[in-house]
Amino acid sequence: MSGQLPPAPSKHPVLQHSLRYARDPFEFVEEATTECGDLYRMELPSVDDVFVLAHPDYLSQVLVDDVEKFGKTEDFRRAFGSGLLSVEGQQWRQQRDILQPLFFRDRITGYVDEMVTCIEQRLATWEDGETRDIEEEMSALTLEILFATLFGRELSPGEDSDIREAADGLNEWFAPTSWILPHWMPTPARRRFKESTNRLQKEVRTLLANGMSAGPPQQSGDSDTMDLLSRLEQTRDSQDGKQLTTEEIEDQLVTMVFAGHETTATALAFTWYLLATHPTIRKEFHDELDTVLDGTSPSLEEIEKLEVTDRILTEVLRLYPPIHTIPRKTTTDVEMDGYHIPEGHELHLSLIHIHRDEQFYDDPLEFRPDRWTDEFRKSLPDFAYAPFGGGRRTCIGREFALLEAKIALAMIGQRFQLDWTANREPTLEPRITIRTENGMPMRLNRR
């Protein structure tokens, strides 16, 4: 079989691959893996074949074993320029070294007070019995937390709408109806992407200018305690060989504004949806909060005792991994499981398929937080659960996001019960992250 291309779904003509994928990418992946197995190719008339990988072993090969044979895609460079998510090689190593101290565990635990304050301010705007789009609420909350912790700037509730809309617009490049078309072809989604990119660049330049005009922060003498803005500003004038250009700094801020809030917001929104539609599990969640917490703002020690909450969040990240697909591009010809994948072709590592595969999970479509016992975790193959990616490019903000999510769940769950008000399941819209088509309306009932 050496030299043979992976199979393509046969029951759809080439054009219908495009149409089926554009209509419902997740359903297309499920049907294609059922027919072809965990490695297949999508034949798209307007772009080169795209290879879909849907098994933990393939993720291990791409992200760890043969990592040098795979690079980032052009789509990520369009969205994030020369930011951490898109650069490679020495440029990536330098940026990672600069940013890593912001995400050391000791540093992250020091963000708890700012996180608590932001959540308090957001909850102060909620009223008993009203209905809000919880997807929008969580996006606003996580952006406020990002600014307070990493940027050292406070956003009042409602103040973030422009920058949040601009950040959300980066998703538009990845709309399935546009993604299957040639990059030069204009579409409404691509127009919105371009407008959002320009707006977000303008916002981060203002943010950077305001940070510089405010002068150095009090803690600027200690690089290990600087906020993100101060640390990036320092690199511009660095004499130690770790300088970043102005363009790199701006692209880094764009990357952090998007990646630093969008993924956590998605996880939180789907957590509230799943709790609202599973009342028995929701009762266990509230009972744990009432037992472990003393009714005041939770401490780090209390958060670490919330075992039910931890399992709930873990299961949400399995069913609805915010980054549902990891894209890569071959930098050389690759042999994979006896098949040939040519140089210069895109790969899609389908996390959501792996996370919902009955090879690894009993009743994979069921929301079952109690499956996450220590024994079960140990039994899972590597990369059968990978909501934060893996290998050397594992998400730098993993611990930050998990702590932020648990504090938000604890504080909101102490005070409110959220009820699903729609008479339908949310319709998923895959972009960079999983979004919903019509939002997630939920009624806020004070406990």
Side-chain angles (χ1 to χ4, degrees):
M1 294 178 62
S2 180
Q4 180 180 347
L5 292 174
S10 60
K11 61 181 179 180
H12 300 299
V14 170
L15 178 59
Q16 287 217 2
H17 279 196
S18 301
L19 297 176
R20 289 283 297 117
Y21 183 86
R23 189 178 302 120
D24 191 334
F26 293 147
E27 185 177 335
F28 179 92
V29 169
E30 290 304 311
E31 291 183 355
T33 51
T34 298
E35 178 185 351
C36 300
D38 296 329
L39 172 59
Y40 62 91
R41 60 191 165 93
M42 291 193 296
E43 298 174 315
L44 305 175
S46 301
V47 297
D48 288 336
D49 289 352
V50 173
F51 297 85
V52 179
L53 285 58
H55 191 279
D57 291 348
Y58 300 143
L59 266 68
S60 181
Q61 181 174 347
V62 173
L63 300 178
V64 179
D65 301 333
D66 294 333
V67 64
E68 300 297 342
K69 297 180 180 179
F70 306 93
K72 288 300 187 86
T73 65
E74 290 297 324
D75 290 331
F76 268 68
R77 281 186 276 275
R78 287 186 180 89
F80 303 111
S82 54
L84 185 66
L85 283 180
S86 53
V87 296
E88 304 196 69
Q90 183 56 38
Q91 188 179 20
W92 170 78
R93 291 184 182 90
Q94 175 175 306
Q95 291 188 12
R96 183 92 178 195
D97 288 346
I98 290 170
L99 296 173
Q100 189 67 66
L102 293 165
F103 298 97
F104 288 153
R105 178 168 174 76
D106 289 347
R107 186 70 189 278
I108 290 171
T109 56
Y111 297 139
V112 170
D113 289 345
E114 287 92 341
M115 292 177 177
V116 167
T117 298
C118 290
I119 298 167
E120 292 278 8
Q121 291 175 342
R122 173 60 49 179
L123 289 177
T125 69
W126 288 13
E127 296 184 6
D128 184 29
E130 70 172 327
T131 297
R132 293 201 179 195
D133 181 348
I134 208 66
E135 194 171 36
E136 287 190 4
E137 285 294 304
M138 294 301 100
S139 181
L141 173 61
T142 55
L143 189 64
E144 289 155 12
I145 290 174
L146 173 72
F147 269 67
T149 54
L150 297 186
F151 291 171
R153 303 288 184 269
E154 182 176 323
L155 290 177
S156 301
E159 185 183 346
D160 60 358
S161 57
D162 287 344
I163 194 167
R164 180 163 54 85
E165 289 174 7
D168 289 348
L170 294 187
N171 265 310
E172 293 298 322
W173 183 266
F174 298 82
T177 50
S178 290
W179 176 82
I180 60 174
L181 299 173
H183 291 159
W184 52 262
M185 183 176 293
T187 68
R190 288 175 178 170
R191 184 178 65 251
R192 292 192 295 272
F193 167 81
K194 185 175 181 180
E195 292 170 351
S196 294
T197 300
N198 293 337
R199 288 174 60 195
L200 194 53
Q201 286 284 358
K202 181 178 178 181
E203 292 284 355
V204 300
R205 285 169 185 159
T206 300
L207 184 67
L208 190 57
N210 289 344
M212 294 179 67
S213 65
Q218 292 182 352
Q219 74 272 32
S220 61
D222 183 355
S223 63
D224 288 338
T225 59
M226 286 183 177
D227 62 33
L228 176 64
L229 285 179
S230 302
R231 194 165 184 82
L232 291 177
E233 289 166 15
Q234 186 187 56
T235 64
R236 185 163 20 204
D237 303 316
S238 174
Q239 301 300 315
D240 62 2
K242 293 184 178 180
Q243 294 167 310
L244 294 182
T245 66
T246 298
E247 180 184 8
E248 284 181 297
I249 290 172
E250 291 175 354
D251 288 344
Q252 210 59 257
L253 290 174
V254 168
T255 299
M256 286 295 175
V257 167
F258 179 87
H261 90 283
E262 181 79 10
T263 52
T264 310
T266 297
L268 286 169
F270 279 104
T271 301
W272 296 123
Y273 163 71
L274 287 168
L275 288 174
T277 53
H278 294 79
T280 300
I281 297 173
R282 182 173 64 184
K283 184 178 185 305
E284 293 176 11
F285 166 68
H286 286 302
D287 286 348
E288 178 180 69
L289 299 183
D290 295 342
T291 300
V292 175
L293 307 181
D294 62 6
T296 60
S297 298
S299 66
L300 178 63
E301 292 74 18
E302 289 173 324
I303 290 296
E304 291 175 342
K305 294 178 182 177
L306 297 175
E307 297 179 1
V308 172
T309 303
D310 180 76
R311 289 195 294 271
I312 287 170
L313 182 58
T314 302
E315 179 74 343
V316 171
L317 290 172
R318 180 189 71 82
L319 269 175
Y320 295 99
I323 304 297
H324 55 88
T325 302
I326 301 176
R328 288 292 189 269
K329 191 171 186 176
T330 52
T331 59
T332 185
D333 289 354
V334 175
E335 294 296 318
M336 185 169 286
D337 204 16
Y339 291 109
H340 174 73
I341 300 179
E343 177 183 354
H345 281 66
E346 273 197 33
L347 310 175
H348 284 186
L349 314 181
S350 181
L351 288 181
I352 194 167
H353 174 81
I354 294 171
H355 283 191
R356 297 178 173 196
D357 194 329
E358 62 185 8
Q359 294 181 79
F360 314 111
Y361 299 96
D362 294 333
D363 301 320
L365 299 183
E366 294 297 317
F367 179 53
R368 283 179 39 196
D370 61 355
R371 76 171 80 237
W372 290 99
T373 63
D374 290 341
E375 292 74 19
F376 177 72
R377 292 173 190 264
K378 292 176 183 177
S379 72
L380 276 180
D382 292 343
F383 293 101
Y385 179 80
F388 296 95
R392 66 191 186 192
R393 297 197 70 143
T394 299
C395 175
I396 192 174
R398 177 182 183 277
E399 297 301 325
F400 180 99
L402 290 173
L403 178 61
E404 174 188 16
K406 290 174 186 176
I407 293 174
L409 291 171
M411 292 184 65
I412 296 172
Q414 277 183 293
R415 304 181 197 186
F416 288 91
Q417 174 178 295
L418 277 61
D419 290 323
W420 182 243
T421 61
N423 57 0
R424 52 168 176 79
E425 294 183 5
T427 301
L428 303 186
E429 285 196 331
R431 299 290 194 270
I432 301 178
T433 56
I434 295 179
R435 307 299 303 275
T436 64
E437 185 177 289
N438 298 307
M440 303 178 86
M442 305 197 80
R443 187 169 56 251
L444 313 177
N445 297 309
R446 190 171 293 278
R447 296 184 65 219

